[in-house]
Amino acid sequence: MLTGLLLITAATVAAAPQAAAATNVALNKPATGSASCAQEESPAKAVNGSVTGGNADKWCSGATTKYLQVDLGTAITINRFVVKHAGAGGEGQDLNTRAFTIQTSANGTAWSTTTTITNNTADVSTHDIAATSARYVRLNVTQGEQNGATARIYEFEVYDTDGGQPSGNLALNRPATGSTPCATAEGPEKAVNGSVTGGNSDKWCSSAATRFLQVDLQAARTVGGVIIRHAGAGGESTANNTAAYNIQVSADGTNFTTVSTTTGNTASVTRHTWSQGNARYVRLNVSDGTARIYEFEVYLDPPPIGGDPGTCHSDAPPTVPDYVAEHTTLMTRVSCNADVAVYFDPELLRLPPAQTAWTTPFATEVWRHYRETYGGCAVNRPLPAPIGPNCTRFGYPKPLLAFFHEGKYHGGTVVNRFDDFAGFRNTIDVGDNGWSVNNATLRDVITHEECHIVEGASQGVHESPAYGEIWGDSKWAEICQYDFYRKSGRTDDANRVFNQYMNNRDDLPQGARQAAWFRDWFHPLYQETGSTMAFMERFFGLLNQHFPKRSENDNRNLIYTRRMNAGEFVHFMSGAVGRDLSAMAQQAFNSGFSRAQFDQAKVNFPGITY
């Protein structure tokens, strides 16, 4: 069984922050073009964000000179184009655009050619260019099909450079303001100067009635945490460390949202994280004692605090026997943080670090994305130690353990927080003989295995009623992976798996013949519900609320008693999406869908409404 794995490496390795995802700036912007094949196949269809609306969900033109032009509304720095051709919309690959150019312009009159393609066959093609400022982007089709003339473009996407977000400490040397300082030399700018070694005056200090420090990042940035270096970090007594404070973020400097609150702190260096989001201003409000802040650092994803207590979770031992699939190999922890601990076998430890350093930031980002995306609970069932504390975030704050192997155990498997032999830990176990940042298969296995943790360990209930007979080992994982790659800005990976999964066919659910799960089920529902995975979190939540369960682990938790049938699956999915999906299921799953089972499911589970 290919089951995914998540990992995080030890406190000695700091993960480089990942840049914010780029934005499709052509989405729903004004589009013009050469004469359309039909009225409903206008240029606007190529920028509407959809490829699933049938043959009419595209721009089509058979004119002698075929072009599509998008007005971005203002000059934007762009560096990537994605073109979704006929095959992306379900038409034959022989209709994919074969030859075309892409041009940019500041005024719609003078054009520069950035991209020339002469032999495309792909359903979806991605084209990177040097960062260029442009208001207008134009696609010129010179050969519309593999052996024909008509242009069929289901989507023309233009991506910005995500604002040029820098890596590292986003607050470094940015404008800082704050409450009245203790002394002239202890102003707010000292908390963002990158130094803690300049003595007592190398800090911001304030004893005002309302004590605050505010940093202007000077542009909207994606932020997800801070590191604060208190009095002890600068050589003062740890008794002067900030005890109580909160952190707020704002887009405009007026309306602030509290993202982190701390009381009773004694540490000299603290790390605080929250769900990543956009902010220009970050504010520290100190509520107890004189404020002494030697450095206030803002990050997309703050690195581990090397050497500080708490960097590694207490449930991530330095070494541990591999307890997954009876492997028994002694695994050594190579990196960790509060969320993930990564372990290597002896063979993987021998590889040059350059081949494996990518695993920590990647596994961490995957785990955090899944935990935030699917971490809600329809029924929050308290879970006792050692499983607990509850159903949110798959056992948070317990870490995910990732076991990695070189040259054996190819593929992956997973155990989760409800497995006694695993110490009640979520764990993935992955093996390969090509450990490299360029190994797409490894990225897919890791993300795939993490998806299995989601389906079998979330919501405070053990097991996955849809695994096996309904979606097998991989159908749910396909949309789960695609969403991660897309949301994390990994456009190449997103396009790669999109093309692969659109062409996949499986005889699932049982009795189906060549069902196109990704093309005809998951991806249409994903787009219909706003291109988010909220509908799947609702599906898992409805299972939590309504599907039959029994107790296990000496009554510590519940487990689903059986797998579901196809009619039950479609009934629960209908509840998650909010409409009757039986007709869609009949088309997607053919003989694998039973109307009688569906009707009976409505009787057996009347609490599922839509």
Side-chain angles (χ1 to χ4, degrees):
M1 176 176 67
L2 269 187
T3 44
L5 176 74
L6 255 211
L7 42 127
I8 293 185
T9 62
T12 57
V13 178
Q18 175 78 23
T23 300
N24 175 16
V25 293
L27 184 64
N28 294 320
K29 295 296 174 64
T32 56
S34 51
S36 300
C37 301
Q39 184 176 357
E40 65 271 18
E41 297 175 328
S42 66
K45 294 295 182 67
V47 293
N48 68 351
S50 170
V51 297
T52 60
N55 285 354
D57 194 10
K58 67 175 181 289
W59 167 67
C60 175
S61 180
T64 302
T65 300
K66 295 174 283 295
Y67 74 92
L68 173 69
Q69 182 172 315
V70 183
D71 179 358
L72 304 180
T74 188
I76 297 176
T77 302
I78 58 177
N79 66 355
R80 172 169 290 186
F81 309 110
V82 176
V83 187
K84 297 182 178 178
H85 307 274
E91 298 191 65
Q93 291 183 318
D94 60 314
L95 302 180
N96 285 340
T97 326
R98 185 175 183 85
F100 53 93
T101 65
I102 302 175
Q103 297 177 305
T104 61
S105 173
N107 55 18
T109 302
W111 295 90
S112 297
T113 301
T114 62
T115 305
T116 300
I117 302 297
T118 59
N119 196 31
N120 174 66
T121 60
D123 295 344
V124 179
S125 59
T126 299
H127 314 280
D128 291 318
I129 64 171
T132 301
S133 178
R135 173 172 174 171
Y136 300 90
V137 181
R138 183 178 177 116
L139 174 68
N140 301 294
V141 177
T142 52
Q143 185 174 348
E145 303 164 1
Q146 298 302 297
N147 295 292
T150 303
R152 296 173 175 84
I153 304 297
Y154 276 77
E155 206 68 15
F156 181 44
E157 300 172 354
V158 181
Y159 286 90
D160 65 10
T161 56
D162 61 70
Q165 173 151 324
S167 60
N169 175 15
L170 303 173
L172 183 63
N173 296 319
R174 299 296 181 182
T177 55
S179 50
T180 305
C182 302
T184 304
E186 298 175 329
E189 71 281 357
K190 293 295 181 68
V192 293
N193 67 353
S195 170
V196 296
T197 59
N200 284 356
S201 63
D202 194 8
K203 68 175 181 289
W204 167 68
C205 176
S206 180
S207 56
T210 301
R211 298 169 294 287
F212 76 93
L213 172 70
Q214 183 171 311
V215 182
D216 178 0
L217 305 180
Q218 298 184 293
R221 303 298 189 196
T222 304
V223 298
V226 300
I227 289 177
I228 307 175
R229 305 188 186 275
H230 306 272
E236 296 189 59
S237 169
T238 56
N240 293 331
N241 286 341
T242 328
Y245 49 93
N246 68 39
I247 302 161
Q248 297 178 309
V249 296
S250 171
D252 56 12
T254 301
N255 301 296
F256 282 84
T257 299
T258 300
V259 291
S260 180
T261 301
T262 297
T263 58
N265 173 62
T266 60
S268 297
V269 182
T270 57
R271 177 180 182 270
H272 311 271
T273 62
W274 54 84
S275 297
Q276 295 172 354
N278 287 333
R280 173 171 174 170
Y281 302 89
V282 184
R283 183 179 177 117
L284 172 69
N285 300 294
V286 176
S287 54
D288 188 7
T290 299
R292 296 176 177 86
I293 303 298
Y294 276 77
E295 206 67 18
F296 184 56
E297 305 168 7
V298 180
Y299 295 91
L300 169 69
D301 181 12
I305 305 167
D308 289 325
T311 300
C312 285
H313 193 281
S314 59
D315 200 16
T319 60
V320 61
D322 185 348
Y323 44 72
V324 180
E326 300 179 349
H327 290 166
T328 71
T329 305
L330 183 66
M331 308 298 294
T332 300
R333 190 186 71 206
V334 295
S335 184
C336 65
N337 55 42
D339 300 319
V340 177
V342 174
Y343 293 77
F344 286 179
D345 70 2
E347 289 75 21
L348 196 54
L349 285 170
R350 296 189 188 104
L351 293 184
Q355 289 183 233
T356 57
W358 64 275
T359 57
T360 295
F362 181 76
T364 302
E365 187 178 2
V366 176
W367 182 241
R368 288 173 179 168
H369 173 80
Y370 289 173
R371 200 177 60 189
E372 295 300 324
T373 301
Y374 310 101
C377 285
V379 178
N380 192 351
R381 308 178 191 280
L383 299 172
I387 298 174
N390 49 45
C391 69
T392 58
R393 299 190 177 191
F394 322 131
Y396 180 88
K398 280 194 160 192
L400 172 78
L401 270 56
F403 294 162
F404 292 157
H405 301 272
E406 162 65 14
K408 56 182 177 296
Y409 311 136
H410 288 65
T413 190
V414 61
V415 297
N416 66 43
R417 60 188 296 209
F418 300 106
D419 293 314
D420 187 2
F421 67 87
F424 300 102
R425 307 180 186 102
N426 292 313
T427 309
I428 62 170
D429 198 296
V430 173
D432 201 278
N433 58 0
W435 287 88
S436 164
V437 69
N438 298 318
N439 188 331
T441 298
L442 270 172
R443 294 195 298 275
D444 289 351
V445 173
I446 291 170
T447 53
H448 176 110
E449 298 308 321
E450 296 290 344
C451 294
H452 284 311
I453 295 286
V454 173
E455 66 171 308
S458 63
Q459 294 286 336
V461 184
H462 195 189
E463 262 293 356
S464 172
Y467 181 88
E469 291 85 347
I470 301 300
W471 61 41
D473 177 73
S474 63
K475 298 303 98 186
W476 133 255
E478 289 176 354
I479 192 67
C480 174
Q481 286 177 303
Y482 172 72
D483 174 70
F484 167 73
Y485 287 143
R486 185 172 176 271
K487 295 293 174 53
S488 64
R490 291 174 168 83
T491 306
D492 289 343
D493 278 331
N495 290 341
R496 174 177 57 80
V497 299
F498 179 89
N499 289 333
Q500 176 184 339
Y501 298 156
M502 286 289 280
N503 292 317
N504 279 359
R505 302 293 182 269
D506 293 89
D507 294 338
L508 291 168
Q510 287 190 344
R513 298 186 303 273
Q514 296 293 291
W517 270 83
F518 188 84
R519 189 193 70 184
D520 295 340
W521 186 257
F522 276 130
H523 192 258
L525 294 178
Y526 179 75
Q527 290 200 310
E528 175 184 327
T529 54
S531 295
T532 76
M533 295 301 288
F535 75 104
M536 285 307 302
E537 185 179 41
R538 288 193 293 270
F539 172 76
F540 295 126
L542 290 173
L543 291 176
N544 179 345
Q545 291 176 281
H546 300 284
F547 207 71
K549 297 168 284 291
R550 61 176 173 81
S551 65
E552 69 167 355
N553 285 324
D554 296 325
N555 295 316
R556 289 191 180 102
N557 66 280
L558 298 175
I559 181 172
Y560 293 112
T561 57
R562 62 177 176 84
R563 302 282 198 244
M564 61 197 330
N565 63 42
E568 292 169 335
F569 170 71
V570 175
H571 179 49
F572 274 76
M573 286 292 291
S574 297
V577 173
R579 69 177 179 90
D580 188 328
L581 299 178
S582 58
M584 181 178 176
Q586 185 69 68
Q587 182 176 0
F589 304 140
N590 51 75
S591 55
F593 172 71
S594 165
R595 172 67 64 173
Q597 287 181 343
F598 178 73
D599 290 339
Q600 186 62 48
K602 292 194 288 185
V603 174
N604 293 346
F605 301 99
I608 307 296
T609 59
Y610 39 91

